[in-house]
Amino acid sequence: MTLVLRHSEISSLLDRAAVFGAVERALSELSTGSAQNPAPPSMDGTEDGRIIPMVAQSGTAELAVVKVLSDLPGNRARGLPRQRSTMLVTSTRTGECVAVLDGRAITAIRTAAASAVATAHLARADSSVVGVVGAGNLAVEHVRALSSIRDLDSIVVWSRSADTVERFRDGIADLDLKIEHAVSVEDVVRQSHIVCTLTPSVEPILFGQWLNAGTHLNVVGAAPRPNEREVDGTAMARSRVVVDSIATALSKSGDALLAIAEGAVDDSHFDTELGDVITGRKTGRSTDAEITLFDSTGIGLEDLAVAELVIHRARATGVGTEIDLTS
């Protein structure tokens, strides 16, 4: 039987603490070779759209996933989300279609969890001020994820929209954190120990000359396109960069590829995956003064790790619809 889960059902099943552990384990498996995550291709969609099939396999879970991500800038004019995705999970033992899942909630929460895993392994232990550039739902999820792994004092937030900042305040009100609305992105960077860029920016919105010694950055928001980025080449050059997947970063991360094209860095600057830091195969932060940067493109293996959690919990609680696709 194939389990079909809608967005609302998935949202009710997600446990953020469990997601953090699942994403960390999945990245470790990628490092040790018990999971696979090849770089995804990118196909033309309608107008300026891109269709990106993200695939991954976990030998431990005996599951594989294909997530079809549609990045459609034209959707904004239609009042629709720019990005949409659907996941198909299959058994690597029997070939059975295990589940079909809407990708929205899984993508947002696994993205924040990956940043939290990176922060846990790369940021200074005394980091207590988080800066968020962009104040949408992804910012809310990031603050929630980071508050679970660091003792935070305050949040510094910037957005072009004051209304978005107010919704952000409401979204994390229960965390009882001091929130400052910054006047600029530079103001966020100057004040923060941990900085998360969470915008759909095409051109750099954060510049390396602003970075303080010891800062950790999670660079998250730009679409998986080689010509779009949030940070400039100086930020990349000044930082110890860690990626979720080298192959994916060097094909889909505009933050990485444009820095290379400008000559700010070369390919060797992107030789460390987060899983290798988790397993101790490579070094993450080496000094308190070092600037660290997690270039997060997002990978199918992170989606698969969270999908497995959701499927188990749905079946345990009777949520979702079971369909026999073979009948």
Side-chain angles (χ1 to χ4, degrees):
M1 298 293 284
T2 300
L3 176 66
V4 179
L5 289 171
R6 302 189 304 270
H7 167 71
S8 58
E9 293 168 327
I10 292 169
S11 296
S12 71
L13 295 168
L14 285 164
D15 177 277
R16 289 174 176 83
V19 168
F20 177 96
V23 169
E24 187 175 50
R25 285 191 299 274
L27 293 168
S28 299
E29 290 177 8
L30 186 60
S31 175
T32 60
S34 56
Q36 296 174 284
N37 193 103
S42 182
M43 301 177 289
D44 293 337
T46 304
E47 298 170 345
D48 188 33
R50 303 300 297 172
I51 309 301
I52 303 171
M54 302 167 63
V55 301
Q57 174 266 350
S58 168
T60 303
E62 295 189 342
L63 293 173
V65 70
V66 178
K67 170 182 169 180
V68 179
L69 170 65
S70 300
D71 180 49
L72 307 170
N75 264 1
R76 288 178 174 168
R78 303 180 183 98
L80 298 172
R82 171 172 172 167
Q83 292 190 352
R84 291 176 138 176
S85 60
T86 305
M87 302 178 191
L88 185 149
V89 180
T90 62
S91 165
T92 60
R93 181 173 292 275
T94 67
E96 173 191 10
C97 180
V98 176
V100 177
L101 314 172
D102 180 79
R104 180 168 34 142
I106 290 175
T107 299
I109 292 180
R110 68 82 158 144
T111 300
S115 292
V117 171
T119 301
H121 289 274
L122 296 171
R124 289 170 49 149
D126 60 354
S127 298
S128 61
V129 180
V130 169
V132 289
V133 180
N137 182 59
L138 201 52
V140 171
E141 290 298 340
H142 269 72
V143 171
R144 289 194 172 280
L146 294 175
S147 68
S148 70
I149 55 100
R150 285 290 188 273
D151 186 11
L152 303 182
D153 292 332
S154 61
I155 308 298
V156 185
V157 57
W158 176 87
S159 171
R160 290 187 176 91
S161 166
D163 289 343
T164 304
V165 172
E166 288 309 306
R167 288 193 294 271
F168 170 79
R169 288 180 184 274
D170 292 342
I172 62 167
D174 59 300
L175 298 179
D176 197 27
L177 294 167
K178 177 184 174 183
I179 302 171
E180 177 182 340
H181 186 177
V183 298
S184 66
V185 176
E186 181 177 359
D187 192 27
V188 172
V189 176
R190 299 284 191 191
Q191 293 189 62
S192 304
H193 305 138
I194 300 164
V195 178
C196 304
T197 59
L198 307 164
T199 71
S201 185
V202 175
E203 300 292 338
I205 199 168
L206 183 153
F207 295 88
Q209 66 190 34
W210 301 338
L211 295 171
N212 298 319
T215 300
H216 171 69
L217 297 96
N218 297 306
V219 176
V220 178
R225 296 178 179 230
N227 61 339
E228 299 187 13
R229 62 176 172 175
E230 293 184 292
V231 305
D232 70 347
T234 301
M236 286 291 184
R238 292 189 63 194
S239 301
R240 167 70 166 124
V241 177
V242 175
V243 300
D244 37 22
S245 159
I246 294 170
T248 301
L250 292 180
S251 64
K252 296 291 181 291
S253 169
D255 291 285
L257 292 168
L258 291 171
I260 293 169
E262 292 170 350
V265 294
D266 60 26
D267 289 19
S268 66
H269 203 66
F270 306 94
D271 66 352
T272 301
E273 294 184 347
L274 182 53
D276 292 330
V277 175
I278 295 167
T279 59
R281 284 171 162 75
K282 291 194 175 180
T283 302
R285 174 177 292 276
S286 58
T287 69
D288 282 348
E290 188 172 38
I291 298 168
T292 54
L293 186 154
F294 176 50
D295 184 11
S296 173
T297 48
I299 58 175
L301 186 61
E302 296 162 354
D303 294 311
L304 180 58
V306 182
E308 183 189 7
L309 288 178
V310 167
I311 292 165
H312 284 312
R313 189 164 183 189
R315 286 195 160 136
T317 56
V319 174
T321 304
E322 297 275 6
I323 298 175
D324 184 358
L325 296 180
T326 65
S327 63

